[in-house]
Amino acid sequence: MTERSLTETEILDSVRRNYEEVTENIARAAEASGRKKEDVTLLAATKTVEPRIINYAISLGLGHIGENRVQELLSKYDEYDLEHCDLQFIGHLQTNKVRQIVGRVSMIQSVDSLKLAKEISRVSKLGAVNTDILLEVNIGREENKSGVMEEELEELLCSAAQLENIRVRGLMAVPPICGTKAELGKYFDKMYKLFIDISCKTLDNVSMDFLSMGMSDDYKEAILSGANMVRVGSKLFGARIYR
Ligand SMILES: *Cc1c(COP(=O)(O)O)cnc(C)c1O
């Protein structure tokens, strides 16, 4: 016999419970690190999640969603309730796909090269829009991972800051998979230090508003290390089913 699939009500109920739990945990971690719950932004990572479920979460108060594949974002775009929520891009972005999302997303979190920043700037200017970006740092120096290396960050930042129609709003990272929370905490702390160091430099046209790090398994730790934006997927919507 096949397992009974969840009814619509059961699915929505679990999303509601998850949302309450995650927002409560965020509030607690924010307070434990001397901040208010409003100081930490929850962005829901919505890959594989159907728009009606996403919109249900938006109806509960979710204010930010992020997709990480261009095709999926475009196919779901007309169905998102974007009157009550902002849409960002959080995945690896190829330069030739930039024009498909500029104007549709408020922020692109995963900029790791000047080439990509230039294309976002060019397309934004053409469309007479401004696009916020975060610079993604490869904090674990992993070979097959996107992100700029720490020592190249400042140069990228200064060059990107000079481009028209984009604004650098902070940093983003996806740390390596770690065996222990202590090991992971070192990467989060390192990111926070980079974030603070750059904030202190007050570079023109750069505002270090967001430090985006922490996902379902580690968003509390990330907040305790100083993250002010967390990207949570499965802890909100359940395990992903890839089709
Ligand atoms: C999927 C994804 C997340 C969220 O992952 P979960 O572990 O399901 O919370 C966060 N950031 C990025 C870039 C992602 O692609």
Side-chain angles (χ1 to χ4, degrees):
M1 228 176 80
T2 55
E3 236 177 274
R4 182 180 70 92
S5 54
L6 294 179
T7 66
E8 182 75 3
T9 314
E10 285 169 335
I11 294 171
L12 298 184
D13 274 354
S14 87
V15 169
R16 183 175 44 73
R17 281 194 307 272
N18 291 346
Y19 180 75
E20 284 164 6
E21 188 183 325
V22 169
T23 48
E24 223 174 277
N25 286 336
I26 289 175
R28 260 196 235 121
E31 277 155 24
S33 59
R35 290 171 294 168
K36 300 196 217 70
K37 62 174 190 260
E38 300 79 39
D39 297 335
V40 178
T41 301
L42 168 64
L43 175 136
T46 49
K47 56 179 172 274
T48 77
V49 182
E50 291 174 38
R52 67 167 210 294
I53 310 281
I54 300 172
N55 290 344
Y56 175 68
I58 294 172
S59 79
L60 301 174
L62 177 67
H64 308 268
I65 58 175
E67 290 287 351
N68 71 336
R69 293 191 191 90
V70 171
Q71 270 325 306
E72 184 176 344
L73 182 148
L74 294 176
S75 74
K76 286 151 80 174
Y77 185 77
D78 289 337
E79 291 175 76
Y80 303 123
D81 177 12
L82 295 182
E83 246 179 72
H84 301 101
C85 186
D86 106 278
L87 171 64
Q88 306 191 9
F89 192 78
I90 60 175
H92 179 68
L93 182 59
Q94 288 168 277
T95 311
N96 64 359
K97 294 199 171 155
V98 165
R99 67 192 149 74
Q100 298 180 275
I101 63 165
V102 162
R104 292 194 164 94
V105 297
S106 65
M107 184 150 83
I108 298 173
Q109 293 212 1
S110 39
V111 177
D112 61 359
S113 72
L114 186 57
K115 183 175 167 230
L116 182 57
K118 278 182 171 164
E119 179 65 2
I120 297 169
S121 162
R122 188 186 72 82
V123 177
S124 298
K125 195 175 178 194
L126 273 178
V129 294
N130 291 307
T131 307
D132 287 345
I133 64 170
L134 301 184
L135 300 183
E136 181 176 358
V137 181
N138 185 347
I139 195 65
R141 315 186 72 83
E142 291 171 282
E143 240 173 63
N144 296 313
K145 203 131 158 194
S146 23
V148 62
M149 294 295 172
E150 279 166 77
E151 62 275 16
E152 291 157 6
L153 176 61
E154 194 167 332
E155 194 186 326
L156 173 59
L157 190 71
C158 292
S159 316
Q162 289 170 24
L163 301 172
E164 295 174 280
N165 295 71
I166 63 174
R167 201 155 47 126
V168 183
R169 300 289 304 274
L171 304 179
M172 182 268 213
V174 183
I177 295 173
C178 294
T180 64
K181 292 266 152 129
E183 198 188 333
L184 181 65
K186 281 188 201 153
Y187 291 111
F188 286 150
D189 291 346
K190 231 167 138 185
M191 278 303 300
Y192 183 67
K193 187 172 181 308
L194 277 178
F195 180 73
I196 292 300
D197 286 350
I198 293 168
S199 306
C200 290
K201 289 187 181 151
T202 57
L203 302 162
D204 272 351
N205 205 21
V206 172
S207 39
M208 281 287 131
D209 299 319
F210 298 108
L211 176 57
S212 170
M213 59 184 190
M215 317 202 298
S216 285
D217 289 333
D218 52 32
Y219 64 95
K220 290 171 263 182
E221 288 79 8
I223 295 168
L224 293 175
S225 292
N228 62 11
M229 181 183 278
V230 292
R231 308 177 309 269
V232 179
S234 45
K235 278 276 155 70
L236 286 172
F237 301 112
R240 279 183 288 277
I241 303 158
Y242 290 94
R243 289 174 221 279

Coordinates of all heavy atoms in Angstrom, one line a residue, residues 102-170:
V102 N 16.7 40.5 -13.6 CA 16.7 41.9 -13.2 C 15.4 42.6 -13.4 O 14.8 42.4 -14.4 CB 17.9 42.6 -13.9 CG1 17.7 44.1 -13.9 CG2 19.2 42.2 -13.3
G103 N 14.9 43.3 -12.4 CA 13.6 44.0 -12.5 C 12.6 43.1 -11.8 O 11.5 43.6 -11.5
R104 N 12.9 41.8 -11.7 CA 11.9 40.9 -11.0 C 12.3 40.7 -9.5 O 11.5 40.3 -8.7 CB 11.8 39.6 -11.7 CG 11.2 39.7 -13.1 CD 10.8 38.3 -13.6 NE 9.9 38.4 -14.7 CZ 10.3 38.4 -16.0 NH1 11.5 38.3 -16.3 NH2 9.3 38.5 -17.0
V105 N 13.6 40.8 -9.3 CA 14.1 40.6 -7.9 C 14.6 41.9 -7.3 O 15.1 42.7 -8.0 CB 15.2 39.5 -7.8 CG1 14.6 38.2 -8.3 CG2 16.4 39.9 -8.6
S106 N 14.4 42.0 -6.0 CA 14.9 43.2 -5.3 C 16.4 43.1 -5.0 O 17.1 44.1 -5.0 CB 14.2 43.4 -4.0 OG 14.4 42.4 -3.1
M107 N 16.9 41.9 -4.8 CA 18.3 41.7 -4.4 C 18.8 40.4 -5.0 O 18.1 39.4 -5.0 CB 18.4 41.8 -2.9 CG 19.9 41.7 -2.4 SD 20.1 42.6 -0.9 CE 19.6 41.4 0.3
I108 N 20.1 40.4 -5.4 CA 20.8 39.2 -5.9 C 21.9 39.0 -4.8 O 22.8 39.8 -4.7 CB 21.3 39.4 -7.3 CG1 20.2 39.6 -8.3 CG2 22.1 38.2 -7.7 CD1 20.6 40.0 -9.7
Q109 N 21.7 37.9 -4.1 CA 22.6 37.6 -3.0 C 23.9 36.9 -3.3 O 24.7 36.7 -2.4 CB 21.9 36.7 -2.0 CG 20.7 37.3 -1.3 CD 20.4 36.8 0.1 OE1 21.2 35.9 0.6 NE2 19.4 37.2 0.7
S110 N 24.1 36.6 -4.5 CA 25.2 35.6 -4.8 C 26.1 36.2 -5.9 O 26.5 35.4 -6.8 CB 24.5 34.3 -5.3 OG 23.4 34.6 -6.2
V111 N 26.5 37.4 -5.7 CA 27.4 38.0 -6.7 C 28.9 37.7 -6.2 O 29.3 38.1 -5.1 CB 27.2 39.5 -6.8 CG1 28.2 40.2 -7.8 CG2 25.8 39.8 -7.3
D112 N 29.6 37.1 -7.1 CA 31.0 36.7 -6.7 C 32.0 37.1 -7.8 O 33.2 36.6 -7.7 CB 31.1 35.2 -6.3 CG 30.7 34.3 -7.5 OD1 30.4 34.8 -8.6 OD2 30.8 33.1 -7.3
S113 N 31.7 37.9 -8.8 CA 32.7 38.3 -9.7 C 32.3 39.7 -10.3 O 31.1 40.1 -10.3 CB 32.8 37.3 -10.9 OG 31.6 37.4 -11.7
L114 N 33.3 40.4 -10.7 CA 33.1 41.7 -11.3 C 32.3 41.6 -12.6 O 31.4 42.4 -12.9 CB 34.4 42.4 -11.5 CG 34.3 43.9 -12.0 CD1 33.5 44.7 -11.0 CD2 35.7 44.5 -12.2
K115 N 32.6 40.5 -13.3 CA 31.8 40.3 -14.6 C 30.3 40.2 -14.3 O 29.5 40.8 -15.0 CB 32.4 38.9 -15.2 CG 31.8 38.6 -16.5 CD 32.5 37.3 -17.0 CE 31.7 36.8 -18.2 NZ 31.4 35.3 -18.1
L116 N 30.0 39.5 -13.3 CA 28.5 39.3 -13.0 C 28.0 40.7 -12.5 O 26.9 41.1 -12.9 CB 28.4 38.2 -11.9 CG 27.0 37.9 -11.4 CD1 26.1 37.5 -12.6 CD2 27.0 36.8 -10.4
A117 N 28.7 41.3 -11.7 CA 28.2 42.7 -11.1 C 28.0 43.6 -12.3 O 27.1 44.4 -12.3 CB 29.2 43.2 -10.1
K118 N 29.0 43.6 -13.2 CA 28.9 44.5 -14.4 C 27.6 44.2 -15.2 O 27.0 45.2 -15.7 CB 30.1 44.4 -15.3 CG 31.3 45.2 -14.8 CD 32.5 45.0 -15.8 CE 33.6 46.0 -15.4 NZ 34.9 45.6 -16.1
E119 N 27.3 43.0 -15.4 CA 26.2 42.6 -16.2 C 24.9 43.0 -15.5 O 23.9 43.5 -16.1 CB 26.2 41.1 -16.5 CG 25.0 40.6 -17.3 CD 24.9 41.2 -18.7 OE1 25.7 42.0 -19.2 OE2 23.9 40.8 -19.4
I120 N 24.8 42.8 -14.2 CA 23.7 43.3 -13.4 C 23.5 44.8 -13.5 O 22.4 45.3 -13.7 CB 23.8 42.8 -11.9 CG1 23.8 41.3 -11.8 CG2 22.6 43.3 -11.1 CD1 24.2 40.8 -10.4
S121 N 24.6 45.5 -13.4 CA 24.6 46.9 -13.6 C 24.1 47.4 -15.0 O 23.2 48.2 -15.1 CB 26.0 47.5 -13.3 OG 26.1 48.8 -13.8
R122 N 24.6 46.7 -16.0 CA 24.3 47.1 -17.4 C 22.8 46.9 -17.6 O 22.1 47.7 -18.1 CB 25.1 46.2 -18.3 CG 25.0 46.6 -19.8 CD 25.7 45.6 -20.7 NE 25.0 44.3 -20.8 CZ 24.0 44.0 -21.6 NH1 23.5 44.9 -22.4 NH2 23.4 42.8 -21.6
V123 N 22.3 45.7 -17.2 CA 20.9 45.3 -17.5 C 20.0 46.2 -16.6 O 18.9 46.6 -17.0 CB 20.6 43.8 -17.2 CG1 19.2 43.5 -17.4 CG2 21.5 43.0 -18.1
S124 N 20.4 46.5 -15.4 CA 19.6 47.3 -14.5 C 19.4 48.7 -15.1 O 18.4 49.3 -15.1 CB 20.2 47.4 -13.1 OG 20.2 46.2 -12.5
K125 N 20.5 49.2 -15.6 CA 20.5 50.6 -16.2 C 19.6 50.6 -17.4 O 18.8 51.5 -17.6 CB 21.9 51.0 -16.6 CG 22.0 52.5 -16.9 CD 23.4 52.9 -17.2 CE 23.4 54.4 -17.5 NZ 24.7 54.9 -18.1
L126 N 19.7 49.6 -18.3 CA 18.8 49.5 -19.4 C 17.4 49.5 -19.1 O 16.5 50.1 -19.7 CB 19.1 48.2 -20.2 CG 20.2 48.2 -21.2 CD1 20.4 46.7 -21.8 CD2 19.9 49.1 -22.3
G127 N 17.1 48.8 -18.0 CA 15.7 48.7 -17.5 C 15.3 49.8 -16.6 O 14.2 49.8 -16.0
A128 N 16.2 50.7 -16.4 CA 15.9 51.9 -15.4 C 15.5 51.4 -14.1 O 14.5 51.9 -13.5 CB 14.9 52.8 -16.0
V129 N 16.1 50.4 -13.5 CA 15.9 49.9 -12.2 C 17.2 49.9 -11.4 O 18.3 49.9 -12.0 CB 15.3 48.5 -12.2 CG1 13.9 48.4 -12.8 CG2 16.2 47.4 -12.9
N130 N 17.0 49.8 -10.1 CA 18.2 49.6 -9.3 C 18.1 48.2 -8.7 O 17.1 47.7 -8.3 CB 18.2 50.6 -8.1 CG 18.5 52.0 -8.6 OD1 19.5 52.2 -9.4 ND2 17.7 52.9 -8.3
T131 N 19.3 47.5 -8.6 CA 19.3 46.2 -8.1 C 20.3 46.1 -6.9 O 21.4 46.6 -7.1 CB 19.7 45.1 -9.2 OG1 18.9 45.3 -10.3 CG2 19.6 43.7 -8.6
D132 N 19.8 45.7 -5.8 CA 20.7 45.5 -4.6 C 21.5 44.2 -4.8 O 20.9 43.2 -5.3 CB 19.9 45.4 -3.3 CG 19.4 46.8 -2.9 OD1 19.8 47.8 -3.5 OD2 18.5 46.8 -2.1
I133 N 22.7 44.2 -4.3 CA 23.4 42.9 -4.4 C 24.1 42.6 -3.1 O 24.5 43.6 -2.3 CB 24.5 42.9 -5.5 CG1 25.6 44.0 -5.3 CG2 23.8 43.1 -6.9 CD1 26.8 43.8 -6.3
L134 N 24.4 41.4 -2.8 CA 25.3 41.0 -1.7 C 26.4 40.3 -2.4 O 26.3 39.7 -3.5 CB 24.6 40.0 -0.8 CG 23.3 40.4 0.0 CD1 22.9 39.3 1.0 CD2 23.5 41.7 0.7
L135 N 27.6 40.4 -1.8 CA 28.8 39.7 -2.3 C 28.9 38.4 -1.6 O 28.9 38.3 -0.4 CB 30.0 40.5 -2.2 CG 30.0 41.9 -2.9 CD1 31.3 42.6 -2.8 CD2 29.6 41.7 -4.4
E136 N 29.0 37.3 -2.4 CA 29.1 36.0 -1.8 C 30.5 35.6 -1.5 O 31.4 35.7 -2.4 CB 28.4 34.9 -2.7 CG 28.5 33.5 -2.0 CD 27.8 32.5 -2.8 OE1 27.2 32.8 -3.9 OE2 27.8 31.3 -2.4
V137 N 30.8 35.2 -0.3 CA 32.2 34.9 0.1 C 32.3 33.4 0.2 O 31.5 32.7 0.9 CB 32.6 35.6 1.4 CG1 34.0 35.3 1.8 CG2 32.4 37.1 1.4
N138 N 33.4 32.8 -0.4 CA 33.7 31.4 -0.2 C 34.5 31.2 1.0 O 35.7 31.1 1.0 CB 34.4 30.9 -1.5 CG 34.7 29.4 -1.4 OD1 34.5 28.7 -0.4 ND2 35.1 28.9 -2.6
I139 N 33.8 31.3 2.2 CA 34.5 31.4 3.4 C 35.3 30.1 3.8 O 36.2 30.2 4.6 CB 33.5 31.8 4.6 CG1 34.2 32.3 5.8 CG2 32.5 30.7 4.9 CD1 35.0 33.6 5.6
G140 N 34.9 29.0 3.3 CA 35.6 27.8 3.6 C 36.6 27.4 2.5 O 37.2 26.4 2.6
R141 N 36.8 28.4 1.6 CA 37.8 28.2 0.5 C 37.6 26.8 -0.2 O 38.6 26.1 -0.4 CB 39.3 28.3 1.0 CG 39.5 29.4 2.0 CD 41.0 29.6 2.4 NE 41.7 30.1 1.2 CZ 41.8 31.4 0.9 NH1 41.2 32.3 1.6 NH2 42.5 31.7 -0.2
E142 N 36.4 26.5 -0.5 CA 36.1 25.2 -1.1 C 36.2 25.3 -2.6 O 35.7 26.3 -3.2 CB 34.7 24.8 -0.7 CG 34.5 24.4 0.7 CD 33.1 24.2 1.1 OE1 32.4 25.2 1.3 OE2 32.7 23.0 1.2
E143 N 36.8 24.3 -3.2 CA 37.1 24.4 -4.6 C 35.9 24.5 -5.5 O 35.9 25.3 -6.4 CB 37.9 23.1 -5.0 CG 39.3 23.5 -5.5 CD 40.1 22.2 -5.7 OE1 39.7 21.4 -6.6 OE2 41.2 22.1 -5.1
N144 N 34.9 23.7 -5.3 CA 33.8 23.7 -6.3 C 32.7 24.5 -5.8 O 31.5 24.3 -6.1 CB 33.4 22.3 -6.5 CG 34.5 21.5 -7.2 OD1 35.1 22.0 -8.1 ND2 34.8 20.3 -6.7
K145 N 32.9 25.5 -5.0 CA 31.9 26.4 -4.5 C 32.0 27.8 -5.0 O 33.1 28.3 -5.3 CB 32.0 26.4 -3.0 CG 30.7 26.7 -2.3 CD 30.4 25.7 -1.2 CE 29.5 26.1 -0.2 NZ 29.6 25.2 1.0
S146 N 30.8 28.4 -5.2 CA 30.9 29.8 -5.7 C 31.3 30.7 -4.5 O 31.4 30.3 -3.4 CB 29.6 30.3 -6.3 OG 28.5 29.5 -5.9
G147 N 31.5 32.0 -4.8 CA 31.9 32.9 -3.8 C 33.3 33.4 -4.0 O 34.2 32.7 -4.6
V148 N 33.6 34.6 -3.6 CA 34.9 35.2 -3.8 C 35.7 34.9 -2.6 O 35.2 34.7 -1.5 CB 34.7 36.8 -4.0 CG1 34.1 37.4 -2.7 CG2 36.0 37.4 -4.3
M149 N 37.0 34.8 -2.8 CA 37.9 34.5 -1.6 C 38.1 35.7 -0.8 O 38.0 36.9 -1.3 CB 39.3 34.0 -2.1 CG 39.3 32.7 -2.9 SD 38.8 31.3 -1.8 CE 38.7 30.0 -2.9
E150 N 38.2 35.5 0.5 CA 38.4 36.7 1.4 C 39.3 37.8 0.9 O 39.0 38.9 1.0 CB 39.0 36.2 2.7 CG 38.1 35.6 3.7 CD 38.9 34.9 4.8 OE1 39.4 35.6 5.6 OE2 39.1 33.6 4.7
E151 N 40.5 37.3 0.5 CA 41.5 38.3 0.1 C 41.2 39.1 -1.2 O 41.8 40.1 -1.5 CB 42.9 37.6 0.0 CG 43.0 36.6 -1.1 CD 42.6 35.2 -0.6 OE1 41.9 35.1 0.4 OE2 42.9 34.2 -1.3
E152 N 40.2 38.6 -1.9 CA 39.8 39.3 -3.1 C 38.5 40.1 -2.9 O 38.0 40.8 -3.8 CB 39.5 38.3 -4.2 CG 40.8 37.6 -4.7 CD 40.5 36.3 -5.4 OE1 39.3 35.9 -5.6 OE2 41.5 35.6 -5.7
L153 N 38.0 40.0 -1.7 CA 36.7 40.7 -1.4 C 36.7 42.2 -1.6 O 35.9 42.8 -2.2 CB 36.2 40.3 0.0 CG 34.9 40.9 0.5 CD1 33.7 40.5 -0.5 CD2 34.6 40.5 1.9
E154 N 37.7 42.8 -1.0 CA 37.7 44.3 -0.9 C 37.9 44.8 -2.3 O 37.2 45.8 -2.7 CB 38.9 44.8 0.0 CG 38.7 46.2 0.3 CD 39.5 46.8 1.4 OE1 39.9 46.0 2.3 OE2 39.8 48.0 1.4
E155 N 38.7 44.2 -3.2 CA 38.9 44.7 -4.5 C 37.5 44.6 -5.3 O 37.1 45.5 -6.0 CB 39.9 43.9 -5.2 CG 40.4 44.5 -6.5 CD 41.4 43.6 -7.3 OE1 42.2 42.9 -6.6 OE2 41.3 43.6 -8.5
L156 N 36.8 43.5 -5.2 CA 35.6 43.3 -5.8 C 34.6 44.3 -5.3 O 33.8 44.9 -6.1 CB 35.0 41.9 -5.6 CG 33.6 41.6 -6.1 CD1 33.5 41.8 -7.6 CD2 33.2 40.2 -5.8
L157 N 34.6 44.5 -4.0 CA 33.7 45.5 -3.4 C 33.9 46.9 -4.0 O 32.9 47.6 -4.3 CB 33.9 45.5 -1.9 CG 33.0 46.2 -1.0 CD1 31.7 45.4 -0.9 CD2 33.6 46.3 0.4
C158 N 35.1 47.3 -4.0 CA 35.4 48.7 -4.5 C 35.1 48.8 -6.0 O 34.5 49.9 -6.4 CB 36.9 49.0 -4.3 SG 37.3 49.1 -2.5
S159 N 35.3 47.8 -6.8 CA 35.0 47.9 -8.2 C 33.4 47.9 -8.4 O 32.9 48.6 -9.1 CB 35.6 46.7 -9.0 OG 36.9 46.5 -8.6
A160 N 32.8 47.0 -7.7 CA 31.3 46.8 -7.8 C 30.6 48.1 -7.3 O 29.6 48.5 -7.9 CB 30.8 45.6 -7.0
A161 N 31.2 48.8 -6.3 CA 30.6 50.0 -5.7 C 30.5 51.1 -6.8 O 29.7 52.0 -6.6 CB 31.3 50.4 -4.5
Q162 N 31.4 51.0 -7.7 CA 31.4 52.1 -8.7 C 30.5 52.0 -9.9 O 30.3 52.8 -10.7 CB 32.9 52.2 -9.3 CG 33.8 52.8 -8.3 CD 35.3 52.7 -8.7 OE1 35.5 52.6 -9.9 NE2 36.2 52.7 -7.8
L163 N 29.8 50.8 -9.9 CA 28.9 50.5 -11.1 C 27.6 51.2 -10.8 O 27.1 51.3 -9.7 CB 28.7 49.0 -11.2 CG 30.0 48.2 -11.5 CD1 29.7 46.7 -11.4 CD2 30.6 48.6 -12.8
E164 N 27.0 51.6 -12.0 CA 25.7 52.3 -11.9 C 24.5 51.3 -11.7 O 24.6 50.2 -12.1 CB 25.4 53.1 -13.2 CG 26.4 54.2 -13.4 CD 26.2 54.8 -14.8 OE1 26.6 54.2 -15.8 OE2 25.5 55.9 -14.8
N165 N 23.5 51.8 -11.1 CA 22.2 51.1 -10.9 C 22.3 49.8 -10.1 O 21.5 48.9 -10.1 CB 21.6 50.7 -12.3 CG 21.2 52.0 -13.0 OD1 22.0 52.8 -13.4 ND2 19.9 52.3 -13.0
I166 N 23.5 49.6 -9.4 CA 23.5 48.5 -8.4 C 24.0 49.1 -7.1 O 24.7 50.1 -7.0 CB 24.3 47.3 -8.8 CG1 25.8 47.7 -8.9 CG2 23.8 46.6 -10.0 CD1 26.7 46.4 -9.1
R167 N 23.6 48.5 -6.0 CA 24.0 48.9 -4.7 C 24.5 47.7 -3.9 O 23.7 46.7 -3.7 CB 22.9 49.6 -4.0 CG 23.3 50.5 -2.9 CD 22.2 51.6 -2.7 NE 20.9 50.9 -2.6 CZ 20.0 51.1 -1.6 NH1 20.3 51.9 -0.6 NH2 18.9 50.5 -1.6
V168 N 25.7 47.8 -3.3 CA 26.2 46.7 -2.5 C 25.6 46.8 -1.1 O 25.8 47.9 -0.5 CB 27.7 46.6 -2.4 CG1 28.2 45.4 -1.6 CG2 28.3 46.6 -3.8
R169 N 24.8 45.8 -0.7 CA 24.1 45.9 0.6 C 24.7 45.0 1.7 O 24.2 44.9 2.8 CB 22.6 45.6 0.4 CG 21.9 46.5 -0.5 CD 21.7 47.9 0.0 NE 21.0 47.9 1.3 CZ 19.7 47.9 1.5 NH1 18.9 47.8 0.4 NH2 19.1 47.9 2.7
G170 N 25.7 44.2 1.4 CA 26.3 43.3 2.4 C 26.9 42.1 1.8 O 27.3 42.1 0.7

